[in-house]
Amino acid sequence: MSNSVWNERGPGVRVVASPSTWIEGEALRQLDAVARYPGMVACVGLPDLHPGKGTPVGAAFLAEGMIYPHLIGNDIGCGMALWTTGLSARKVRPEKLAARLDGLDRPMDPTGHEQRNRLIAAGIPEEGAFSLGTPGLGNHFVELQRIQSVADEAALAALGIETDRLVCLVHSGSRGVGESILRRHATRFGAAGLDANCDDAQAYFRDHDRALAYAELNRAVCAERLFDAVGTDGARIVDSSHNQLSRIDFDGRPGWLHRKGAAPVEGPAAIIPGSRGDLTFLVSPQIGQRESLFSLAHGAGRKIARHEAKAKLEGRYRRPELTAPDGTSRVVCGDERLLWEEAPGCYKDAAAVVDTLVAAGLCRVIATLTPVVTFKTSASEKVRNRRDRWDRRRERRNSRAAKEGGTR
């Protein structure tokens, strides 16, 4: 690669990267392979580019006349959403807040009735109702953050963010809904593309849009559950999906823009989070950047694969450092393996990623935020006991309903 942050790899293939945002060779090979797909017009790797399951993450792909659902992946609609809260940043006690968040990964209503009602009210089919309002595993989280520094006071104020209040960041997607959509598609077509005008493509678009709606509602319900747990309320500032397919006009021709781990350049602000031990950046996108396929990095990007995490980092971190990365913030995670897979050392430096985007003219920094409490999975014995009680109650209810001639 050259010293420029814009690096051309071939016709229609470019990577936005600098020496400080090291890109793994396998990610570049995957990007080049996608560029050879029929109908592919342009491929852009962003500074968080890293290898995925056959295709790269942290990239945007523009195709003409064709769509490739496997490029979007199984978590259609996965994205980030940011809310204001009424919680004072000065009076915060991370350990107390952490104790209140246990259980956010459990069904908010064990019967599923409340979840189904929320989906019906939003006009969304009831598939995946039981999981609505839960963040999921992997790199998903629900997090309270405080403002660390402000680069643009006017832009921050225009968003309605007060520096003496905590904010809530949710990273989640369509849970099992997107997975079932991709599975149905892959069973018939594998990784092959579809003519964008065929009936099967139209069916995928309908399923895709449903998953987008589910994912957006899921993030909202996750935030509501946090607000209820800590006794506050909030207002949504940003919500954007980084796994999605959209139609755009490019050079006067219609095209299909596939984003896999790439945030859309739209609206007054975007969120680029780092690891749980790093800063999150609130940025102002610079609209009209066609060179980047109208996309920004969606995060810091992995530099250590999940299956390698514990072996590579065990000597670098002590167990308490995984649940209190900077000594003051707290991580709620009852899954030992996930703690290692999501350790701060598994990710690139978020500042390096954002600096590269700024150098490319794709965004300006509004403010930086730092984690206070990160929820991943429930940790306490109390919550495990509560789960058992919920399961037993549900079994009893279903047994009674069956005897009465129906099920719930």
Side-chain angles (χ1 to χ4, degrees):
M1 285 190 177
S2 68
N3 290 329
S4 169
V5 296
W6 289 99
N7 301 274
E8 303 290 336
R9 292 188 58 79
V13 186
R14 63 179 63 91
V15 177
V16 184
S18 63
S20 60
T21 53
W22 172 80
I23 306 291
E24 192 172 341
E26 177 60 20
L28 296 173
R29 285 189 287 273
Q30 290 180 352
L31 188 71
D32 293 341
V34 173
R36 294 191 289 271
Y37 286 6
M40 196 59 65
V41 175
C43 298
V44 174
L46 294 154
D48 57 335
L49 185 72
H50 58 280
K53 296 178 180 178
T55 56
V57 181
F61 316 95
L62 179 66
E64 186 175 2
M66 299 287 290
I67 65 166
Y68 293 91
H70 78 284
L71 290 179
I72 309 303
N74 64 328
D75 199 2
I76 303 165
C78 183
M80 306 276 182
L82 187 72
W83 277 263
T84 62
T85 82
L87 296 174
S88 170
R90 293 191 297 269
K91 299 178 181 178
V92 65
R93 294 176 57 189
E95 64 282 356
K96 183 176 180 180
L97 290 173
R100 293 182 178 182
L101 299 189
D102 258 345
L104 287 187
D105 55 346
R106 294 300 299 164
M108 60 181 179
D109 176 358
T111 70
H113 293 323
E114 184 176 351
Q115 295 95 309
R116 285 192 289 273
N117 289 338
R118 290 296 299 269
L119 289 168
I120 291 169
I124 303 171
E126 296 174 43
E127 182 185 356
F130 204 63
S131 298
L132 185 70
T134 59
L137 295 175
N139 61 355
H140 294 159
F141 59 82
V142 181
E143 189 168 82
L144 286 168
Q145 302 179 333
R146 63 159 55 95
I147 306 298
Q148 177 79 2
S149 65
V150 178
D152 188 335
E153 292 183 1
L156 193 68
L159 293 170
I161 298 178
E162 301 177 37
T163 56
D164 62 346
R165 293 288 184 267
L166 300 184
V167 297
C168 171
L169 178 62
V170 179
H171 176 203
S172 189
S174 54
R175 305 292 276 114
V177 175
E179 183 177 356
S180 67
I181 292 169
L182 182 64
R183 190 185 304 120
R184 289 195 298 270
H185 173 84
T187 297
R188 296 184 60 196
F189 303 105
L194 293 175
D195 184 310
N197 296 313
C198 75
D199 290 344
D200 290 309
Q202 298 306 310
Y204 176 79
F205 294 146
R206 290 191 293 272
D207 287 342
H208 166 277
D209 290 349
R210 172 168 55 88
L212 285 184
Y214 181 102
E216 183 175 345
L217 179 61
N218 189 52
R219 288 187 286 273
V221 178
C222 283
E224 290 172 12
R225 296 185 71 188
L226 179 140
F227 297 156
D228 289 343
V230 300
T232 189
D233 56 13
R236 188 171 64 184
I237 304 164
V238 176
D239 188 301
S240 69
S241 166
H242 50 239
N243 290 353
Q244 61 163 288
L245 176 64
S246 57
R247 184 187 184 280
I248 67 168
D249 290 323
F250 199 81
D251 291 338
R253 306 193 307 272
W256 293 100
L257 181 56
H258 305 64
R259 291 188 176 99
K260 176 61 174 177
V265 175
E266 59 188 20
I271 286 286
I272 304 175
S275 73
R276 64 180 181 233
D278 200 356
L279 295 174
T280 289
F281 288 79
L282 181 63
V283 302
S284 172
Q286 301 302 285
I287 306 299
Q289 295 294 337
R290 65 189 299 280
E291 295 84 359
S292 68
L293 293 181
F294 312 102
S295 301
L296 293 174
H298 78 311
R302 292 194 73 90
K303 65 179 182 181
I304 297 178
R306 292 185 178 280
H307 68 278
E308 300 175 317
K310 186 172 182 179
K312 289 191 173 183
L313 298 176
E314 203 163 13
R316 180 172 166 184
Y317 296 101
R318 293 181 296 109
R319 177 63 169 72
E321 293 174 319
L322 296 176
T323 54
D326 60 3
T328 58
S329 65
R330 294 292 182 270
V331 177
V332 180
C333 183
D335 186 329
E336 181 77 16
R337 183 176 66 178
L338 190 59
L339 273 174
W340 288 104
E341 291 176 351
E342 292 296 302
C346 290
Y347 288 86
K348 300 179 185 182
D349 176 26
V353 169
V354 173
D355 286 347
T356 302
L357 293 171
V358 172
L362 298 178
C363 66
R364 293 183 296 103
V365 175
I366 297 174
T368 63
L369 306 93
T370 188
V372 174
V373 177
T374 305
F375 177 85
K376 300 289 291 181
T377 65
S378 295
S380 71
E381 185 66 29
K382 177 178 68 176
V383 170
R384 287 193 290 272
N385 291 337
R386 189 188 308 152
R387 292 175 181 174
D388 293 340
R389 291 196 299 273
W390 280 341
D391 290 340
R392 288 194 296 270
R393 289 172 184 168
R394 185 170 59 174
E395 288 173 4
R396 288 196 295 268
R397 280 193 296 267
N398 288 341
S399 177
R400 287 196 300 269
K403 291 177 181 178
E404 294 168 0
T407 58
R408 297 185 183 183

CSV table of all heavy atoms in Angstrom, one decimal, residues 21 44 107 137 153 173 184 224 259 312:
chain,number,residue,atom,x,y,z
A,21,THR,N,-3.6,1.6,10.6
A,21,THR,CA,-4.8,0.8,10.5
A,21,THR,C,-4.4,-0.5,9.7
A,21,THR,O,-4.9,-0.7,8.6
A,21,THR,CB,-6.0,1.5,9.9
A,21,THR,OG1,-5.6,2.0,8.6
A,21,THR,CG2,-6.5,2.6,10.8
A,44,VAL,N,-15.2,-1.1,-1.8
A,44,VAL,CA,-14.4,-0.3,-0.9
A,44,VAL,C,-14.2,-0.9,0.5
A,44,VAL,O,-15.1,-1.3,1.1
A,44,VAL,CB,-15.0,1.1,-0.7
A,44,VAL,CG1,-14.3,2.0,0.3
A,44,VAL,CG2,-15.1,1.8,-2.0
A,107,PRO,N,-35.7,-12.9,28.0
A,107,PRO,CA,-37.0,-12.4,27.5
A,107,PRO,C,-37.7,-11.4,28.4
A,107,PRO,O,-37.8,-11.7,29.6
A,107,PRO,CB,-37.8,-13.7,27.3
A,107,PRO,CG,-36.8,-14.8,27.1
A,107,PRO,CD,-35.7,-14.4,28.0
A,137,LEU,N,-25.4,-12.2,21.2
A,137,LEU,CA,-24.0,-12.5,21.6
A,137,LEU,C,-23.0,-11.8,20.7
A,137,LEU,O,-23.3,-10.8,20.1
A,137,LEU,CB,-23.8,-14.0,21.8
A,137,LEU,CG,-24.7,-14.7,22.8
A,137,LEU,CD1,-24.5,-16.2,22.8
A,137,LEU,CD2,-24.3,-14.2,24.2
A,153,GLU,N,-18.7,21.8,20.0
A,153,GLU,CA,-19.7,22.0,20.9
A,153,GLU,C,-21.0,22.3,20.3
A,153,GLU,O,-22.1,21.9,20.8
A,153,GLU,CB,-19.3,23.2,21.9
A,153,GLU,CG,-18.1,22.9,22.8
A,153,GLU,CD,-17.8,24.1,23.7
A,153,GLU,OE1,-18.5,25.1,23.6
A,153,GLU,OE2,-16.9,23.9,24.5
A,173,GLY,N,-28.9,-6.4,16.3
A,173,GLY,CA,-29.4,-6.6,15.0
A,173,GLY,C,-30.8,-7.3,15.0
A,173,GLY,O,-31.6,-7.2,15.9
A,184,ARG,N,-32.6,-19.6,4.5
A,184,ARG,CA,-33.6,-20.0,3.5
A,184,ARG,C,-33.0,-19.7,2.1
A,184,ARG,O,-33.1,-20.5,1.2
A,184,ARG,CB,-34.9,-19.3,3.7
A,184,ARG,CG,-35.7,-19.8,4.9
A,184,ARG,CD,-37.2,-19.3,4.8
A,184,ARG,NE,-37.3,-17.9,4.8
A,184,ARG,CZ,-37.4,-17.2,5.9
A,184,ARG,NH1,-37.4,-17.8,7.1
A,184,ARG,NH2,-37.6,-15.9,5.8
A,224,GLU,N,-35.0,0.7,26.0
A,224,GLU,CA,-36.1,0.9,27.0
A,224,GLU,C,-35.8,0.0,28.2
A,224,GLU,O,-36.1,0.5,29.4
A,224,GLU,CB,-37.4,0.5,26.3
A,224,GLU,CG,-37.8,1.5,25.3
A,224,GLU,CD,-39.1,1.0,24.5
A,224,GLU,OE1,-39.7,0.0,25.0
A,224,GLU,OE2,-39.4,1.6,23.5
A,259,ARG,N,-23.8,-3.3,2.1
A,259,ARG,CA,-22.9,-2.9,3.2
A,259,ARG,C,-22.7,-4.1,4.2
A,259,ARG,O,-23.7,-4.6,4.7
A,259,ARG,CB,-23.4,-1.7,3.9
A,259,ARG,CG,-23.3,-0.4,3.1
A,259,ARG,CD,-23.7,0.8,4.0
A,259,ARG,NE,-23.6,2.1,3.3
A,259,ARG,CZ,-24.6,2.7,2.8
A,259,ARG,NH1,-25.8,2.2,2.8
A,259,ARG,NH2,-24.4,3.9,2.2
A,312,LYS,N,-3.8,-16.0,22.7
A,312,LYS,CA,-2.9,-14.9,22.4
A,312,LYS,C,-2.9,-13.8,23.5
A,312,LYS,O,-1.9,-13.1,23.7
A,312,LYS,CB,-3.3,-14.2,21.1
A,312,LYS,CG,-3.0,-15.0,19.9
A,312,LYS,CD,-3.1,-14.2,18.6
A,312,LYS,CE,-2.6,-15.0,17.4
A,312,LYS,NZ,-2.7,-14.3,16.1
